[in-house]
C-alpha cells in the first residue's frame, strides 16, 4: 500500500486550515500538481521546484485564508483530481464530514465530486463532532488519516463502512485495512 508518503504525480486538493497546512508541508518534495484551497497552503508550496501549483479563482475568507465562491467551484469542476485531501471541522457516522462555514463546505463538496480518491485528514478531536454544513458521507471517504486518540468505537464504525484507517503520530504508524486495493492509486 502507498500512503501519504507517496502521492501520485497528478493532482491533489484541499489544503486549508492547520491540518491542510501540515499536509502542504509534507508535499514539498513530491512531484505532483496541487490545487490548494487556501492561500496559506499555496504560500508553503509556491517555491517548491517539484510542485506544479494550480490556483482556483474565487474570493478569500480572511480568517481561514480559504478560497470560496462559485468561481472556485467552477474551477474545480474543470479537472479530475486523483486525490482530494479533505479536512473537517466535524466527523460522525450519522452526519458524515461537516464544516462550520457554508462556503467552505460548498467548495469541498465540489472537490469530493471531482476526485477519484478522497482522504480525510483530521485529528481525533474532530470525531464525534458535528459542524453546521455537511460536506460528504463517510462512505465516500476512502482513507482516514488521524492520530491515536481515535476512539475504538469510531474505528469499528469506519471498518464497517469499508473505510481504510491510518493512525499516525507516534513511533510507528498503525494501519487498519478495511478495504483492499492500493492507496492513492493515480492513473494517467
Amino acid at each position: 500500500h502507498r500512503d501519504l508518503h507517496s502521492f501520485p504525480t497528478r493532482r491533489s486538493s484541499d489544503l486549508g486550515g492547520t491540518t491542510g497546512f501540515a499536509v502542504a508541508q509534507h508535499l514539498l518534495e513530491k512531484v505532483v500538481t496541487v490545487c490548494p484551497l487556501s492561500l496559506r497552503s499555496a504560500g508553503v508550496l509556491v517555491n517548491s521546484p517539484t510542485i506544479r501549483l494550480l490556483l482556483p479563482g474565487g474570493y478569500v475568507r480572511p480568517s481561514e485564508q480559504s478560497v470560496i465562491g462559485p468561481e472556485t467551484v467552477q474551477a474545480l469542476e474543470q479537472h479530475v483530481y486523483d486525490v482530494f485531501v479533505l479536512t473537517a471541522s466535524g466527523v460522525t457516522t450519522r452526519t458524515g464530514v461537516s464544516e462550520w462555514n457554508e462556503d467552505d463546505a460548498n467548495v469541498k463538496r465540489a472537490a469530493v465530486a471531482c476526485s477519484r480518491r478522497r482522504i480525510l485528514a483530521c485529528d481525533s478531536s474532530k470525531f464525534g463532532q458535528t459542524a453546521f454544513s455537511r460536506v460528504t458521507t463517510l462512505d465516500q471517504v476512502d482513507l482516514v488519516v488521524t492520530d491515536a486518540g481515535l476512539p475504538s468505537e469510531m474505528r469499528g464504525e469506519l471498518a464497517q463502512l469499508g473505510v481504510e484507517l491510518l493512525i499516525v503520530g507516534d513511533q510507528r504508524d498503525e494501519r487498519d485495512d478495511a478495504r483492499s486495493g492500493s492507496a492513492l492509486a493515480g492513473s494517467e
Side-chain angles (χ1 to χ4, degrees):
H1 289 287
R2 294 190 288 166
D3 57 23
L4 286 177
H5 302 289
S6 56
F7 273 84
T9 57
R10 296 267 310 219
R11 294 184 177 92
S12 210
S13 197
D14 174 30
L15 300 172
T18 55
T19 302
F21 183 79
V23 171
Q25 289 179 313
H26 180 78
L27 292 174
L28 284 173
E29 302 301 318
K30 308 299 180 201
V31 178
V32 63
T33 299
V34 181
C35 180
L37 300 180
S38 87
L39 294 182
R40 187 178 310 148
S41 295
V44 170
L45 300 169
V46 70
N47 291 317
S48 172
T50 60
I51 293 194
R52 187 170 175 216
L53 200 57
L54 174 64
L55 296 176
Y59 296 98
V60 176
R61 272 186 58 218
S63 60
E64 292 289 322
Q65 296 184 8
S66 57
V67 185
I68 58 170
E71 294 88 353
T72 308
V73 170
Q74 217 170 21
L76 290 172
E77 291 172 342
Q78 299 305 309
H79 303 279
V80 176
Y81 298 91
D82 286 329
V83 178
F84 175 48
V85 180
L86 172 65
T87 60
S89 295
V91 182
T92 67
T93 51
R94 185 169 177 257
T95 58
V97 178
S98 56
E99 275 298 333
W100 288 112
N101 183 277
E102 288 177 90
D103 293 322
D104 282 339
N106 286 335
V107 169
K108 290 179 180 188
R109 275 193 292 275
V112 164
C114 56
S115 298
R116 291 185 177 124
R117 182 161 171 80
R118 290 150 301 274
I119 298 174
L120 174 61
C122 62
D123 66 78
S124 61
S125 71
K126 308 294 176 152
F127 289 88
Q129 305 297 316
T130 302
F132 182 67
S133 296
R134 289 181 192 209
V135 174
T136 190
T137 57
L138 279 175
D139 63 348
Q140 294 297 305
V141 172
D142 299 292
L143 171 66
V144 170
V145 179
T146 192
D147 59 83
L150 184 68
S152 59
E153 180 181 308
M154 179 57 78
R155 291 178 190 218
E157 291 173 357
L158 290 171
Q160 283 182 334
L161 290 170
V163 177
E164 189 175 355
L165 176 62
L166 177 61
I167 303 293
V168 296
D170 56 12
Q171 297 293 66
R172 64 190 194 315
D173 291 350
E174 301 172 31
R175 177 171 264 185
D176 293 338
D177 286 319
R179 256 184 204 211
S180 60
S182 63
L184 299 168
S187 60
E188 287 288 336

